[in-house]
Amino acid sequence: MKPSYTLRPLCAALSRPLVPTSALVLALGASAAQAETITVATVNNNDMVIMQSLTEEFEKAHPDITLDWVVLEENVLRQRMTTDIATQGGQFDVMTIGSYEAPIWAERGWLEPLDDLPESYQVDDLLGPVRDGLSHEGSLYALPFYAESSMLYYRKDLFAEAGIEMPEQPIWNQVRDWAETLHDDDGEVAGICLRGKPGWGENMAFVSTLTNTFGGRWFDMDWNAQIDSPAWQEAVAFYVDLLDNYGPAGASSNGFNENLALFSRGNCAMWVDATSAAGKLFDADESQVADQLGFAPAPVAETPKGSHWLWAWALAIPASSDAKDAARQFVTWATSPEYVALVGEREGWTSVPPGTRQSTYDNAEYIEAAPFASFVVDAISKADPLDSSLEPNPYVGVQFVGIPEFQAIGTQVGQMVASALTGETSVEQALSAAQRATERTMERAGYTD
């Protein structure tokens, strides 16, 4: 429970001797006008930093609400929010969660449903795959702030110098050959940058999609773990070899933000990651390679299934919040068409939150500023969380498995894959340990005997 922000001024007024009636009325009026504070937990990604910078705009339009921000690195944010909501701690009034958490937490009664939104919010404008991923039994439980798939970024100048032509659909073996050609042994330009930082939403977001294209899956139809399968062995060995030989120094510490900084400075010839980075990379004020930015679909190997992920960062209201009405006003404002227009006008159209609304992709100003726009919305629309692997699987999700146990499983496996990347263990040892740990978790949870 948050402290009362009206109690102190009123008590102070009542404790003074000989207070005139008019002064007491003023004190009561000031107390009633005291703004309600809501605490917003979010990730330190660029789009959320912009959202925080627009605090004054929200508070000007909502003078009875004050925003208090908690901005954290992705892994830390997930840890803090999961602990708080599971214990009904009530530290946060707005949580930044994703397509994985929203339906699971909604089913457990941890989130407020977001039905009966005002007509001006234009719910039908939200892209279908994104809206569906944040819903449970037909109701929205989080509103999408931005959404993404994944794709390949590359430097057109380096490709041209090397005489490399990007095909319509790149293949992973081609990517490895290009990385070898373009890698600078002096360390100035890495042949390729990829996520290495351990975490189910960090390195495993990439490794899962890579493994999908090699024909792998997390579980078979009976929920038996498949992490030590030949497809996983081949995919992770490929990943480790690629980063060991042609990646940047310290690759095991690099997540989305670190690789974004490296590519923006011109230190990566290629990068496979979230489509949400396109706007920042194409902004000449933010990126040194804006005029040489090329992009292509995420590479494939044996199959195109599950080659590009589907994710939304969204704003949700925990059931434990004691400021639900104020929180609802904030989340609808920050995910509205008006907010998109505000960011476009204030920050430039390449900086608007991507991937959530059809109206963004119908906006002529956005299309003119962002040549990657149609490419991104096409990737999002083609990602299929119900059919993400070559062999059938029982789960929903492309780069994650939509069951409560996956957060722990993905974190463990991510740490083991990272240990193979740093050379602490072999790929075979890492995946064997990951298989055993996952089997134990699934057996304890009752999925297998």
Side-chain angles (χ1 to χ4, degrees):
M1 181 70 69
K2 294 185 178 63
S4 169
Y5 292 95
T6 61
L7 182 60
R8 187 176 298 167
L10 180 56
C11 289
L14 292 173
S15 66
R16 296 190 188 97
L18 303 175
V19 177
T21 303
S22 59
L24 181 55
V25 170
L26 287 172
L28 287 166
S31 172
Q34 179 71 46
E36 184 173 21
T37 298
I38 60 171
T39 303
V40 182
T42 195
V43 68
N44 62 343
N45 290 351
N46 182 63
D47 292 277
M48 284 72 170
V49 171
I50 292 174
M51 176 172 60
Q52 186 183 11
S53 75
L54 295 172
T55 295
E56 186 179 339
E57 293 293 327
F58 174 78
E59 292 179 348
K60 191 189 306 178
H62 303 80
D64 56 338
I65 304 173
T66 298
L67 302 180
D68 178 33
W69 293 90
V70 177
V71 183
L72 300 167
E73 184 270 331
E74 183 173 323
N75 287 340
V76 178
L77 175 79
R78 286 192 165 115
Q79 217 170 36
R80 285 275 302 274
M81 290 193 307
T82 301
T83 300
D84 184 72
I85 202 161
T87 61
Q88 300 293 290
Q91 290 185 355
F92 309 114
D93 301 298
V94 175
M95 290 181 166
T96 304
I97 65 172
S99 307
Y100 166 72
E101 295 96 345
I104 294 173
W105 290 6
E107 185 177 16
R108 293 182 169 188
W110 291 351
L111 300 176
E112 285 293 298
L114 293 167
D115 296 320
D116 302 321
L117 294 168
E119 187 177 341
S120 60
Y121 186 76
Q122 301 178 37
V123 174
D124 291 342
D125 185 39
L126 299 175
L127 296 177
V130 176
R131 186 178 62 222
D132 292 346
L134 300 173
S135 299
H136 174 62
E137 295 184 346
S139 291
L140 271 167
Y141 280 85
L143 300 182
F145 182 66
Y146 76 78
E148 62 187 32
S149 186
S150 52
M151 64 184 185
L152 168 63
Y153 300 99
Y154 66 97
R155 283 182 52 180
K156 292 190 292 187
D157 55 337
L158 298 182
F159 269 60
E161 289 171 12
I164 302 170
E165 186 174 341
M166 178 62 70
E168 188 173 333
Q169 174 59 70
I171 307 299
W172 273 115
N173 283 339
Q174 293 175 315
V175 171
R176 180 187 56 202
D177 293 343
W178 299 335
E180 181 180 13
T181 299
L182 300 172
H183 186 71
D184 180 0
D185 290 328
D186 294 331
E188 184 66 27
V189 178
I192 191 164
C193 291
L194 300 170
R195 297 188 188 194
K197 181 187 292 186
W200 70 265
E202 283 282 10
N203 64 344
M204 294 316 297
F206 171 77
V207 170
S208 294
T209 54
L210 174 71
T211 302
N212 290 340
T213 76
F214 274 79
R217 55 185 171 167
W218 279 91
F219 299 99
D220 68 15
M221 291 299 291
D222 294 318
W223 291 104
N224 296 304
Q226 302 293 294
I227 303 169
D228 62 353
S229 66
W232 270 84
Q233 296 279 354
E234 186 180 2
V236 176
F238 180 90
Y239 163 76
V240 169
D241 179 73
L242 191 60
L243 277 182
D244 275 353
N245 289 301
Y246 313 120
S252 61
S253 300
N254 294 339
F256 170 79
N257 284 325
E258 292 80 8
N259 283 321
L260 174 60
L262 284 169
F263 195 94
S264 297
R265 293 196 300 263
N267 299 130
C268 307
M270 293 179 287
W271 179 33
V272 180
D273 213 295
T275 56
S276 59
K280 193 170 180 67
L281 291 176
F282 199 72
D283 184 347
D285 292 332
E286 300 280 351
S287 169
Q288 296 176 29
V289 295
D291 61 340
Q292 296 297 337
L293 178 62
F295 44 87
V300 302
E302 300 298 320
T303 176
K305 283 192 175 185
S307 61
H308 48 273
W309 65 63
L310 179 63
W311 181 257
W313 277 117
L315 303 178
I317 303 170
S320 55
S321 167
D322 58 4
K324 294 183 180 67
D325 289 343
R328 188 182 179 94
Q329 291 182 61
F330 174 72
V331 301
T332 52
W333 173 83
T335 61
S336 67
E338 291 75 21
Y339 178 86
V340 172
L342 175 64
V343 175
E345 293 160 8
R346 289 278 297 269
E347 304 291 330
W349 283 99
T350 57
S351 296
V352 304
T356 60
R357 291 184 170 274
Q358 184 59 48
S359 57
T360 302
Y361 295 90
D362 293 337
N363 186 310
E365 290 181 279
Y366 182 65
I367 298 300
E368 182 180 354
F372 49 82
S374 59
F375 186 92
V376 170
V377 76
D378 185 61
I380 289 172
S381 66
K382 287 181 177 176
D384 189 352
L386 299 176
D387 186 18
S388 60
S389 57
L390 184 61
E391 295 182 89
N393 70 64
Y395 50 85
V396 176
V398 180
Q399 78 282 13
F400 61 81
V401 177
I403 58 173
E405 293 75 17
F406 180 74
Q407 185 163 340
I409 290 170
T411 298
Q412 276 190 312
V413 177
Q415 290 167 343
M416 292 165 184
V417 169
S419 73
L421 183 58
T422 59
E424 295 175 33
T425 61
S426 68
V427 169
E428 186 176 347
Q429 290 169 331
L431 294 183
S432 178
Q435 174 77 12
R436 292 194 302 272
T438 302
E439 287 174 344
R440 287 194 297 270
T441 299
M442 296 300 281
E443 186 174 345
R444 284 197 299 265
Y447 288 86
T448 57
D449 297 327

